[in-house]
């Protein structure tokens, strides 16, 4: 399964170029903008890359991809649909790739330092707004390009029963596909589950506590201490797990690889990092697969079949 990741809002590279370099996971922060133009004139702008926030795309209705409204609004693709289209087009051109995971964070909080009166007040993500995420994904991707909760659940009554008894689709059935998961684990998750306790008809997976009907994907971001053993336990139980190799700038400044090394040993199928290239802080820190010779994926250290070879996972790509 894929490993490398870079949060899209912090990258200067277009999504397709990131994919060309082996990235197989993204996080996209989305803001509801059903009428268009809500975030087109931010109070301040930071960052150096991407499309100007006043571009026509920002004035069109639809979800916007920003990091922090009014403060950090530049992105290589300013609308969710544009980001999805870039991923879809790359995927179609590389039909043998390992599954790409896109984490979607629904953002509706007021950034700190605005005094409670931001120039671009965010809209709350209720059930209707959360389902807009599904609708925009389906407007770009055909059903056969997606790994959805319905596909994983199959004939089982719940997702958790499916992954514990049958597991996730085999790689041969998942090549060239994309799956989406809701990054939020708070009330947004509960709203998204309303009327669909096992994600019936939904596009996004959610990180529910292990054992709940909707539990198939787990965010377990801390692999330190007992975290590594817990991740291993969940992987062996059939869950798809995402963990983190580093916290924002901490390891990048110190050069400490402890968290990264635990994460890579844990068996988590997706290990996120902000540093697939050497840290700009001079510590030399970076996070790459230690034994895959530049490939974007490797055989899982916890549950791979005997005789698995890294270069079988994504045969189109060679280092």
């Amino acid at each position: 399964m894929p490993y490398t990741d870079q949060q899209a809002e912090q990258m200067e590279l277009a999504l397709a170029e990131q994919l060309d370099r082996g990235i197989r996971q993204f996080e996209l922060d989305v803001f509801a903008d059903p009428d268009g133009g809500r975030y087109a004139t931010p109070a301040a702008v930071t960052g150096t890359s991407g499309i100007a926030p006043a571009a026509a795309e920002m004035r069109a209705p639809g979800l916007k991809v920003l990091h922090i409204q009014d403060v950090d609004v530049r992105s290589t693709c300013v609308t969710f649909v544009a980001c999805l289209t870039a991923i879809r087009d790359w995927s179609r051109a590389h039909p043998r790739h390992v599954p790409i995971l896109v984490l979607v964070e629904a953002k509706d909080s007021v950034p700190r330092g605005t005094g409670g009166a931001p120039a671009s007040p965010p809209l709350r993500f209720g059930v209707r707004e959360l389902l807009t995420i599904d609708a925009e994904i389906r407007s770009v991707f055909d059903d056969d390009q997606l790994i959805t909760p319905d596909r994983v659940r199959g004939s089982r009554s719940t997702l958790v029963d499916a992954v514990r008894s049958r597991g996730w689709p085999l790689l041969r059935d998942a090549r060239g596909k994309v799956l989406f998961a809701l990054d939020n684990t708070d009330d947004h998750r509960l709203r998204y589950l309303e009327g669909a306790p096992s994600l019936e008809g939904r596009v996004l997976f959610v990180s529910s506590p292990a054992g709940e009907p909707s539990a198939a994907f787990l965010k377990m971001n801390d692999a330190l201490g007992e975290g590594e053993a817990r991740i291993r336990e969940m992987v062996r139980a059939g869950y798809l797990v995402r963990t983190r190799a580093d916290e924002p700038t901490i390891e990048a400044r110190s050069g400490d690889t402890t968290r990264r090394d635990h994460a890579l040993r844990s068996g988590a199928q997706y290990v996120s990092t902000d540093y697939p290239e050497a840290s700009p802080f001079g510590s030399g820190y970076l996070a790459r697969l230690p034994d895959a010779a530049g490939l974007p994926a490797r055989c899982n250290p916890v549950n791979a079949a005997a005789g698995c070879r890294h270069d079988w996972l994504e045969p189109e790509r060679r280092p």
Side-chain angles (χ1 to χ4, degrees):
M1 295 296 288
Y3 138 77
T4 47
D5 158 79
Q6 178 68 46
Q7 294 186 359
E9 72 274 2
Q10 296 179 357
M11 286 292 290
E12 296 185 4
L13 300 177
L15 297 183
E17 188 170 352
Q18 295 180 53
L19 288 161
D20 282 339
R21 294 189 178 198
I23 305 300
R24 296 295 179 267
Q25 179 192 340
F26 298 103
E27 179 183 326
L28 300 178
D29 296 346
V30 299
F31 289 76
D33 189 16
D35 299 321
R38 176 173 289 267
Y39 306 104
T41 54
V45 176
T46 61
T48 59
S49 67
I51 302 170
E57 292 92 337
M58 291 297 289
R59 300 192 180 280
L63 295 166
K64 302 301 186 297
V65 177
L66 318 169
H67 188 207
I68 304 172
Q69 75 276 22
D70 286 329
V71 177
D72 188 359
V73 299
R74 294 181 185 267
S75 175
T76 60
C77 45
V78 296
T79 70
F80 190 46
V81 165
C83 295
L84 297 174
T85 301
I87 296 170
R88 180 204 65 192
D89 291 349
W90 187 93
S91 176
R92 285 177 174 173
H94 303 80
R96 300 285 292 166
H97 68 77
V98 293
I100 297 166
L101 171 64
V102 181
L103 287 171
V104 182
E105 182 175 359
K107 285 198 165 182
D108 55 12
S109 61
V110 175
R112 296 176 182 176
T114 61
S120 307
L123 291 179
R124 175 181 178 272
F125 270 91
V127 175
R128 181 176 61 181
E129 289 75 21
L130 288 167
L131 293 181
T132 298
I133 300 173
D134 284 15
E136 292 201 5
I137 292 170
R138 291 194 183 278
S139 77
V140 174
F141 287 90
D142 295 334
D143 286 347
D144 62 1
Q145 294 176 286
L146 297 172
I147 300 174
T148 62
D150 286 342
R151 184 185 296 271
V152 173
R153 189 176 55 257
S155 61
R156 301 285 180 171
S157 59
T158 65
L159 267 175
V160 69
D161 180 45
V163 298
R164 283 179 165 179
S165 61
R166 185 180 60 241
W168 281 73
L170 297 176
L171 180 57
R172 65 171 179 252
D173 300 318
R175 290 193 185 280
K177 291 180 170 52
V178 182
L179 65 152
F180 292 83
L182 186 66
D183 193 48
N184 308 72
T185 55
D186 52 14
D187 289 343
H188 295 79
R189 179 185 71 89
L190 297 178
R191 292 180 205 130
Y192 189 70
L193 286 168
E194 286 185 19
S198 193
L199 295 169
E200 297 86 349
R202 301 287 196 257
V203 175
L204 304 175
F205 292 90
V206 299
S207 182
S208 293
E212 287 197 2
S214 57
F217 162 77
L218 303 176
K219 279 178 52 181
M220 303 178 69
N221 287 342
D222 191 357
L224 293 175
E226 296 181 359
E228 179 184 342
R230 180 63 174 162
I231 291 172
R232 286 175 171 265
E233 178 186 355
M234 294 297 100
V235 170
R236 291 193 179 102
Y239 294 101
L240 189 72
V241 177
R242 178 261 200 179
T243 193
R244 297 188 63 158
D246 36 75
E247 295 289 340
T249 78
I250 295 175
E251 287 80 9
R253 293 179 184 276
S254 69
D256 184 3
T257 64
T258 304
R259 184 186 303 272
R260 179 199 70 186
D261 297 342
H262 279 275
L264 292 174
R265 287 197 304 262
S266 70
Q269 293 90 343
Y270 292 90
V271 180
S272 301
T273 179
D274 285 333
Y275 303 95
E277 306 294 338
S279 162
F281 299 108
S283 68
Y285 177 84
L286 78 165
R288 293 181 182 172
L289 293 173
D291 52 3
L295 293 168
R298 65 169 178 171
C299 300
N300 192 294
V302 170
N303 64 358
C308 178
R309 286 176 40 181
H310 304 321
D311 60 351
W312 287 349
L313 301 184
E314 194 166 304
E316 287 181 339
R317 182 181 172 90
R318 294 292 184 270

